[in-house]
């Protein structure tokens, strides 16, 4: 198949492209690298600034590239806003892609209308980026802007129009599947995020120590400090919950200075980020998630323990009945503190959790396994005269 990916979130499209290429498909990725993260892509589509002259140059760049976006079997967009333009300018580009390619798939991978709409109903999720029980978390400036943009603005209508028109909607997490499936049950498919496992030599000790029958692992050195790593995105700390998790970590650091160490990265490029996490034991990720996303999964593939969302729904949608490697925390500073404290006071837990983390990613997120699921979806769409993702 000839496949085009437009846009990028957290290296999803580039990793998936690598997996599909191993299966023999021709894949092109056009993106801006997800901004400062600077993920790999085949064709760069960065916007230099929001200034008028740079806007004109950016649109001109898109127009020059349009002839290269024709003739694909599958075009997959990362989000309804797949170019760095106002939502009101997007639909002509979408229609062009629709007209000149065979099938079009929309990703449900992050912030969009259906995500905001579902979160603020305060019933679908016990907690989320926008609610804790019946309490709305819309007082934070970042959250208010998301609600304004995606619930009522141009982005909202664009998302609704594309969701109704596209051939399939692929959800990468349990939460996103729950957002789309009630309204689009005939075209919404859950496929886990893809992760390219490190070379076997990079985490051989973790892989060899995991015993699925006994759950045994090589002991963590008793004298070693437990190393925590947390990444901070400027402007999104409150939205992601890293502000709360960092406060809990600071308390742990103060109370157990001889038993743990804390490393912090703030808005660094992807290559730099990967180097920084190499020797950490524990990655601290999103607080309001039910599921580990790309950042946590990447760390788990490297043999780190992820403190993030690991709710029962996450394991159920994957069909995982045995492994439980994720340290699941509730959206509460004291609960985070208790979870961190358990790891500091009981470092003997780490080897088993690390080994299970590697196995978990290998079972459910290994990039060629995920690519096979996408291949099956794409072939079904191409073979169907009236496409339905769930036929």
């Amino acid at each position: 198949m000839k496949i085009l990916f437009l846009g990028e979130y957290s290296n999803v499209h580039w990793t998936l492209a690598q997996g599909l290429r191993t299966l023999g498909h021709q894949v092109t990725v056009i993106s801006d690298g997800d901004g400062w993260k600077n993920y790999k892509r085949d064709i760069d589509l960065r916007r230099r600034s929001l200034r008028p002259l740079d806007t004109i140059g950016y649109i001109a760049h898109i127009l020059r590239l349009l002839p290269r976006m024709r003739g694909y079997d599958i075009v997959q967009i990362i989000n309804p806003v797949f170019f760095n333009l106002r939502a009101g300018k997007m639909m002509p580009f979408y229609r062009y892609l629709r007209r000149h390619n065979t099938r079009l798939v929309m990703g449900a991978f992050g912030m969009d209308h259906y995500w905001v709409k579902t979160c603020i109903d305060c019933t679908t999720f016990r907690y989320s980026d926008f609610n804790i029980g019946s309490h709305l978390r819309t007082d934070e400036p970042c959250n208010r802007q998301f609600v304004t943009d995606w619930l009522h603005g141009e982005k909202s209508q664009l998302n609704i129009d594309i969701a109704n028109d596209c051939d399939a909607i692929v959800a990468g997490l349990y939460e996103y599947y729950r957002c789309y499936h009630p309204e689009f049950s005939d075209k919404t498919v859950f496929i886990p995020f893809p992760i390219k496992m490190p070379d076997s030599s990079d985490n051989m000790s973790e892989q060899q120590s995991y015993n699925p029958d006994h759950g045994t692992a090589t002991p963590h050195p008793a004298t070693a400090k437990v190393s925590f790593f947390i990444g901070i995105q400027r402007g999104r700390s409150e939205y992601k919950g890293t502000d709360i998790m960092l406060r809990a970590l600071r308390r742990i650091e103060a109370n157990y200075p001889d038993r743990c160490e804390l490393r912090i990265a703030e808005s660094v490029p992807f290559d730099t980020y990967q180097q920084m996490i190499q020797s950490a034991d524990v990655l601290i990720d999103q607080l309001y998630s039910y599921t580990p996303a790309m950042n946590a999964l990447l760390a788990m593939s490297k043999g780190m323990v992820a403190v993030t969302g690991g709710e029962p729904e996450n394991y159920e949608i994957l069909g995982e009945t045995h492994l439980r490697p994720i340290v699941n925390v509730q959206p509460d500073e004291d609960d985070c503190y208790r979870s961190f404290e358990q790891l500091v006071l009981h470092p003997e837990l780490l080897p088993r959790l690390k080994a299970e983390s590697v196995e978990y990613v290998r079972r459910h997120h290994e990039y060629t396994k995920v690519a096979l699921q996408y291949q099956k979806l794409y072939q079904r769409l191409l073979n169907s005269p009236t496409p339905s993702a769930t036929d």
Side-chain angles (χ1 to χ4, degrees), residues 342-379:
Q342 281 296 302
L343 296 175
V344 170
L345 296 179
H346 300 282
E348 70 276 6
L349 298 173
L350 293 175
R352 178 183 61 80
L353 291 174
K354 289 182 176 186
E356 286 194 3
S357 294
V358 174
E359 182 63 18
Y360 174 93
V361 177
R362 190 193 316 284
R363 285 187 189 182
H364 304 293
H365 296 276
E366 195 276 330
Y367 77 132
T368 56
K369 292 181 180 179
V370 172
L372 283 168
Q373 295 179 63
Y374 272 92
Q375 175 181 265
K376 183 178 179 181
L377 167 64
Y378 294 162
Q379 288 175 338

Side-chain angles (χ1 to χ4, degrees), residues 231-366:
I232 307 292
Q233 289 191 35
R234 283 190 292 267
R236 300 189 67 171
S237 182
E238 291 181 348
Y239 172 70
K240 295 289 188 182
T242 47
D243 58 332
I244 293 172
M245 300 174 98
L246 183 57
R247 288 200 299 267
L249 282 170
R250 292 294 193 194
R251 290 166 56 192
I252 289 291
E253 185 181 37
N255 291 338
Y256 301 99
D258 297 329
R259 292 189 177 220
C260 68
E261 61 181 8
L262 173 59
R263 304 174 190 175
I264 302 172
E266 185 172 351
S267 298
V268 298
F270 180 61
D271 288 345
T272 304
Y273 180 87
Q274 287 210 94
Q275 295 170 11
M276 294 178 70
I277 69 172
Q278 288 297 337
S279 57
D281 295 305
V282 183
L283 176 91
I284 311 302
D285 202 37
Q286 301 181 41
L287 179 61
Y288 303 108
S289 175
Y290 276 39
T291 51
M294 288 292 286
N295 184 42
L297 292 169
L298 176 66
M300 292 170 70
S301 76
K302 295 176 179 292
M304 296 172 63
V305 177
V307 179
T308 185
E311 293 287 351
E313 291 89 340
N314 167 66
Y315 295 109
E316 288 168 8
I317 199 169
L318 293 170
E320 177 55 64
T321 59
H322 178 66
L323 297 173
R324 293 294 184 273
I326 304 157
V327 178
N328 185 46
V329 287
Q330 300 301 300
D332 173 80
E333 183 178 331
D334 288 336
D335 186 73
C336 291
Y337 180 90
R338 287 190 292 269
S339 296
F340 301 152
E341 187 177 46
Q342 281 296 302
L343 296 175
V344 170
L345 296 179
H346 300 282
E348 70 276 6
L349 298 173
L350 293 175
R352 178 183 61 80
L353 291 174
K354 289 182 176 186
E356 286 194 3
S357 294
V358 174
E359 182 63 18
Y360 174 93
V361 177
R362 190 193 316 284
R363 285 187 189 182
H364 304 293
H365 296 276
E366 195 276 330

Side-chain angles (χ1 to χ4, degrees), residues 117-128 131-136 174 178 290 313:
K117 177 185 175 183
T118 305
C119 289
I120 67 171
D121 71 19
C122 295
T123 58
T124 302
F125 302 121
R126 296 181 293 280
Y127 60 86
S128 74
N131 78 291
I132 299 177
S134 60
H135 170 69
L136 287 174
Y174 159 80
R178 282 296 309 274
Y290 276 39
E313 291 89 340

